[in-house]
């Protein structure tokens, strides 16, 4: 059995917040096993228990890391129940996560993946309660993996991991109807309508984007081209259509929430 | 005099928040002296001036790091007064902290420790005001310590460090009465009643836990076994009895604050 | 052309917050190019779009890092417009920032600097939208710079970078009038009056500091010398006159905001 080439980077994506002892102890466990690995926080501020939000954030971040990086993504209300802890090897990356759909975008984007259930408890911390697998299961496995332990040693092959529905925009007669899937710290409204979808709707300056009662003509090239008093749109840095106010908070101005519909109409 | 083996890891635990220049300049000072050390943030979101909260968070985190790690814990309303800055060597770890009780759990759990007052100012930054010892005293000492400077060189031996009361549960005729000592980001209520205390109360499925007007029967094995509509309890990942709502916020539901009583009764 | 000596440290200062995918992807890009560099977060919690706040925070932090460090400072509402992305070499440090005034303190404090506009797109990520230069321009340039690419290769020499007004205290007949320029997480009010200014006003115990309706006599040596019920002042750790309440929040108590006047009067 060949050794996995050792990894330099472990990333963490959780809903643990940064006020408690959770993240610190996860890092302590990792560094106790591999003090030379670089740990990167993607974010720990996922809305509590929101698997869908975590899935989107992981999707928007992991491809920017070097191949071989280990991504630990834990939003895990089912911790300690019969939900399985997984290790997935896909597209040159490793993912450690509970089997609850947090890897749904990964499975969609990389159909060929290898999946292992973390059944080999010799790689876990001696049990102390059953409520913190990030520290007791995922952290030590990530650290041993970063030291080159082959993935097959962590457990048995696993199939049919859980996925959550990833809402896709719907085509109607003369429009494309999507929805807001994420709101960032600036209040920008990120939709599930991609650059590709937009390109199929027609020339950008002839598109009309409708959200609630508001209507925007054309798509801005950059934020500074938008208005401070009315919504504008942009194809943003993650390749999604986004509604924004220049130097303002679109979510507040439009009273918008995740799930609100957004329609793109050509001429 | 033997050199301390050089340390790879310095952790930081403070109430500095993450919005200001405090944490950044502490890290700059450390990396100017030892650019090869790994700095880990435990948290910087301790409630302002709350020594008790910092003490609990340190207690819940430091044991997970490799021996030799240097833990810098600074919640320090008395900075610049006559309170002493300390370096403590205990259980294979190093602790740098003001002498205000933040190390109380360490002293309780590791009775044999060595304590030095940081009187050797040649290891400190040239004074710029007297209000930021984390940057000007603790950071450079941590960095020199991580490079192997023996602890005796940082100052004179010190005794009788300050401790704060650590509330212990009280046994009454037929019950154990503890209190909530920490509320985490999920609103879970962490008590000072430990796994050991619980085990002495009787079989877990026959215990009744009372908090305010609410009453729980038995102790759940994992969060998913709890209810979304009523409080449940678990022995949590730090080995403490905890009151929670499944995918909910117990502190909000129960209007609970730190210090509220929690009672465990056997059959 | 000589190679820049390779840097060990890249710092990040932004208004991206820590809840989204922004910071994670910036780090991924850097580590993909130079997996051995140490990345330090100064803060990502600058008030959205506040160039002035970011400028002050950078000013208060960067000098504590080792020479050769690369400071990436991005608060960038004009991203993608015609504002220039800059690389500045000043005082032994490197700065990467949009040309919008965020480096104003650097230019004031280090008049001799070298400035390059980042026109060489071969060092940038292949364009994906035009709204995230931190990830697509500044991050890869920082990483290549940390690997020793000479700064002249990143673009053409640039002149007259944008600066913002840095409010200076005004001398009147018998007083010095400054203003609050920053409020920290504790609610301490940091003014633009420096230690040097204070020293010129007379003996510290004979000074009167006025802010709104409140008046303080003398300047405290440390926070613990102040009052919990009335404002006190200190020359703080960044060398600025600061108004505080001991273990309290001066901004709340005094209803103070950035820009409020503060006057120092000698006997």
């Amino acid at each position: 059995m060949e050794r996995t080439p050792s990894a330099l980077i472990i990333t963490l994506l959780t809903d643990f917040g940064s006020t408690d002892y959770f993240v610190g102890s996860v890092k302590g466990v990792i560094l106790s096993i591999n003090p030379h690995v670089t740990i990167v926080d993607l974010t720990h501020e996922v809305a509590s228990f929101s698997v869908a939000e975590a899935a989107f954030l992981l999707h928007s971040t992991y491809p920017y890391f070097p191949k071989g990086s280990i991504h630990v993504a834990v939003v895990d209300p089912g911790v300690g129940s019969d939900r399985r802890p997984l290790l997935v090897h896909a597209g040159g990356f490793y993912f450690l996560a509970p089997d609850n759909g947090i890897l749904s975008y990964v499975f969609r984007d990389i159909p060929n993946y290898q999946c292992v259930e973390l059944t080999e408890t010799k790689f876990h911390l001696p049990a102390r309660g059953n409520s913190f697998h990030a520290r007791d299961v995922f952290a030590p496995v990530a650290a041993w993996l970063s030291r080159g332990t082959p993935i097959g040693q962590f457990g048995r092959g696993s199939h049919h991991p859980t996925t959550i529905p990833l809402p896709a925009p719907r085509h109607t007669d003369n429009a494309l109807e999507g929805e807001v899937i994420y709101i960032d710290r600036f209040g920008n409204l990120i939709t599930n309508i991609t650059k590709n979808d937009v390109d199929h709707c027609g020339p950008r300056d002839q598109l009309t984007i409708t959200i609630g009662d508001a209507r925007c003509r054309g798509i801005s090239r950059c934020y500074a081209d938008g208005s401070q008093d009315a919504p504008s749109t942009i194809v943003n840095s993650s390749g999604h259509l986004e509604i924004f106010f220049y130097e303002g908070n679109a979510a507040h101005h439009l009273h918008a929430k995740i799930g609100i519909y957004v329609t793109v109409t050509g001429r």
Side-chain angles (χ1 to χ4, degrees), chain A residues 81-106:
Chain A
S81 69
D82 57 4
R83 76 94 189 85
R84 303 172 296 176
L86 300 182
L87 164 56
V88 171
H89 189 199
F93 296 104
Y94 299 93
F95 299 91
L96 284 157
D99 181 27
N100 62 10
I102 202 170
L103 301 181
S104 296
Y105 286 96
V106 174

Side-chain angles (χ1 to χ4, degrees), chain A residues 7 18 107:
Chain A
S18 52
F107 297 138

Side-chain angles (χ1 to χ4, degrees), chain A residues 65 75 80 90 168 175 190 194 250-251:
Chain A
F65 282 82
V75 172
I190 301 176
T194 65

